[in-house]
Amino acid sequence: MDISVVFLAVLVLSVLGMQVGRSRAMAVAGGQARALHSRAGYYGAFVALATALPAFMVLFLWTAVEPTVIQALVRARLPAEIQALQADQLSLVLTTIENLAYRNIAPSQSQPYLTSAATLMREMHATANWLMVGVCMLVALGGFFLSRGRITVAFRARNTVEAVVKALMIVCSSIAILTTVGIVMSMLVESLHFFAEVSPLDFFFGLVWDPRFAGAARADQTGQFGLIPLMWGTLFISFVAMLVAVPIGLLSAVYMSEYAGPKFRKAAKPLLEVLAGIPTVVYGFFALITIGPALRDIGAVFGLDISSTSVLCAGLTMGIMIIPFVSSLSDDIINAVPQSLRDASYGLGATQSETIRQVVLPAALPGIVGACLLAVSRALGETMIVVMAAGIAAKLTANPFDSVTTMTVKIVAQLTGDLEFNSPQTLVAFALGLTLFVITLGLNVMALAIVRKYREKYD
């Protein structure tokens, strides 16, 4: 049975518990709501939470542990010579069994033990699913009846519900923090494995990016992993994108907030924000079939050799994509500037343009910096547009008409294919990801310093 069906069944039972809890509370109070310690809705919420939360916890733990348990049981049934394989080879065998069991993907050379193991895994999975359904529903029903029985006139339902909600909020906040810590630690650990094989000096200061496949390289030759070409390509394309997005986005925000009428603003702002909802792969196609050839033809008119996949093409396309990040946020921030500042400026004889330049924009500068930072972070992490509009060649060039590539493109490239996970060619992706994270963190710290400086001035 699908997990979503179990989830929906528990959810329906919790909604029923909400109604039963309310009715039970009114019944024990003899229909007098004032006799209850809490409002009737809190009693219903108590029953609903007692029904849903334990069941959802069991469902989450079951889905997290079940694959590991089934895999261990199947591995114990494999032939002795298969169990004696090395860890990476045994992992490959188990992956083949899972593909055969769940996805019906047969290997090119199927062995009898693979078929029997896949059948066993499929049967165990089906049995575990039915057990999961039974356990979750028993837990939900147990919580339903136990919580219903606890409802009395003096029961402090509000205190209990608020404590549970507070605990849920703490758990959610902790999950967000621990997820960030887990991502950083996973990148850091794998990056340390990479730096154990490749010198950090060669990585951070190398001028050549030429990773080689492990099978094509000699034992003493693992390739060159110079970061500088990828770093330059990332910053170069992002710089061109910001040259496009910041002026257009900021000026459009100023116009819509200070000059445009209500009717024009009501129609123009949603149309501008549509750009943010277009998939990046569509922008990539647009760059590949429209912007790139157009730049090439324009360059030919002026005697310039502009490649169809170039920094300029990728930067223009990416700049168009991130215009809404700058314009929409800046518009909201400018509108948040108190009208009293504008009125005071007009009272001193300033014109509208002078008020915008000398009062409104300085007051909104911290928020505008935050909007630009969001746009920069979006540009640094873009992949599809770069692949289609800038190419995959790692070059160290200052020519905006030439093709380059970025760190995100190479992260995808190094994690795609049949490379061993413990090879430098694969581990370098984690080092690139950690470097990109540090760059983004530095931009956040810089923006925070600017915001604090100007907040002290305009508070």
Side-chain angles (χ1 to χ4, degrees):
M1 182 177 291
D2 192 29
I3 295 176
S4 59
V5 177
V6 182
F7 184 89
L8 183 61
V10 173
L11 194 61
V12 170
L13 189 59
S14 67
V15 173
L16 178 62
M18 173 74 75
Q19 301 300 323
V20 171
R22 290 172 59 92
S23 302
R24 174 67 176 174
M26 295 301 297
V28 297
Q32 300 295 326
R34 293 183 178 181
L36 296 171
H37 173 273
S38 308
R39 291 183 178 179
Y42 282 105
Y43 294 90
F46 169 69
V47 177
L49 289 174
T51 302
L53 285 183
F56 286 155
M57 290 177 61
V58 170
L59 182 62
F60 173 76
L61 293 175
W62 194 291
T63 54
V65 174
E66 177 194 328
T68 304
V69 174
I70 292 178
Q71 192 178 81
L73 294 175
V74 171
R75 183 170 54 190
R77 303 286 184 89
L78 293 175
E81 61 273 13
I82 301 299
Q83 297 185 36
L85 294 175
Q86 296 181 357
D88 54 347
Q89 295 176 337
L90 182 59
S91 176
L92 181 61
V93 171
L94 293 174
T95 302
T96 303
I97 294 173
E98 290 179 357
N99 289 334
L100 185 59
Y102 301 140
R103 306 172 188 88
N104 201 22
I105 301 176
S108 57
Q109 297 180 350
S110 180
Q111 301 293 333
Y113 75 88
L114 293 176
T115 304
S116 59
T119 303
L120 178 63
M121 180 175 287
R122 195 181 303 112
E123 293 174 352
M124 287 183 175
H125 180 69
T127 304
N129 274 350
W130 284 109
L131 286 175
M132 177 186 67
V133 173
V135 172
C136 288
M137 295 308 298
L138 284 176
V139 171
L141 290 172
F144 176 86
F145 287 108
L146 288 176
S147 59
R148 180 184 178 277
R150 289 190 60 186
I151 295 178
T152 60
V153 174
F155 179 65
R156 299 175 178 268
R158 187 191 66 181
N159 297 3
T160 304
V161 170
E162 290 180 352
V164 172
V165 171
K166 181 180 179 180
L168 286 175
M169 294 172 65
I170 294 175
V171 169
C172 293
S173 301
S174 301
I175 289 175
I177 296 172
L178 292 176
T179 301
T180 304
V181 173
I183 292 173
V184 175
M185 292 304 299
S186 64
M187 290 192 299
L188 181 60
V189 171
E190 299 298 337
S191 298
L192 292 177
H193 292 163
F194 170 74
F195 289 128
E197 301 187 31
V198 177
S199 171
L201 293 177
D202 294 338
F203 175 73
F204 287 109
F205 300 101
L207 301 178
V208 178
W209 175 267
D210 184 23
R212 300 186 179 93
F213 287 95
R218 299 194 303 269
D220 58 343
Q221 190 176 18
T222 59
Q224 296 175 284
F225 301 93
L227 176 66
I228 299 299
L230 304 183
M231 177 80 74
W232 172 251
T234 302
L235 297 178
F236 199 1
I237 293 175
S238 300
F239 176 73
V240 174
M242 295 307 295
L243 287 180
V244 175
V246 172
I248 296 177
L250 185 56
L251 292 176
S252 63
V254 170
Y255 177 77
M256 285 192 296
S257 61
E258 300 295 326
Y259 293 102
K263 292 183 179 180
F264 180 83
R265 173 185 170 82
K266 186 177 180 180
K269 189 172 181 179
L271 290 176
L272 189 61
E273 291 177 348
V274 167
L275 294 175
I278 298 176
T280 56
V281 66
V282 176
Y283 280 108
F285 281 123
F286 177 65
L288 188 64
I289 65 176
T290 303
I291 296 181
L295 291 176
R296 182 190 58 200
D297 296 340
I298 293 172
V301 173
F302 294 96
L304 300 174
D305 183 16
I306 303 178
S307 175
S308 297
T309 55
S310 61
V311 174
L312 186 60
C313 178
L316 287 174
T317 308
M318 196 179 299
I320 295 172
M321 180 191 68
I322 62 179
I323 283 175
F325 290 89
V326 179
S327 65
S328 182
L329 291 176
S330 298
D331 178 46
D332 295 336
I333 293 160
I334 292 173
N335 282 324
V337 175
Q339 183 63 33
S340 59
L341 294 180
R342 297 179 177 87
D343 296 338
S345 178
Y346 296 146
L348 293 174
T351 63
Q352 186 176 12
S353 61
E354 290 173 339
T355 300
I356 293 171
R357 293 196 312 270
Q358 300 179 17
V359 176
V360 176
L361 290 181
L365 186 59
I368 293 173
V369 170
C372 293
L373 173 65
L374 178 62
V376 171
S377 301
R378 184 69 180 85
L380 290 175
E382 180 52 42
T383 303
M384 290 304 302
I385 292 177
V386 179
V387 171
M388 295 185 177
I392 58 174
K395 297 180 182 178
L396 192 60
T397 176
N399 183 8
F401 304 146
D402 203 355
S403 61
V404 295
T405 193
T406 62
M407 289 188 286
T408 54
V409 173
K410 290 305 178 183
I411 289 173
V412 175
Q414 297 308 118
L415 292 177
T416 304
D418 297 328
L419 288 174
E420 296 180 1
F421 192 78
N422 58 355
S423 66
Q425 287 77 11
T426 302
L427 294 175
V428 68
F430 296 94
L432 292 173
L434 184 63
T435 304
L436 194 60
F437 172 80
V438 172
I439 292 173
T440 306
L441 179 63
L443 290 174
N444 278 276
V445 172
M446 185 185 306
L448 183 60
I450 295 174
V451 168
R452 285 180 176 176
K453 176 181 177 181
Y454 283 94
R455 274 183 179 172
E456 291 176 359
K457 185 175 181 180
Y458 290 102
D459 274 348

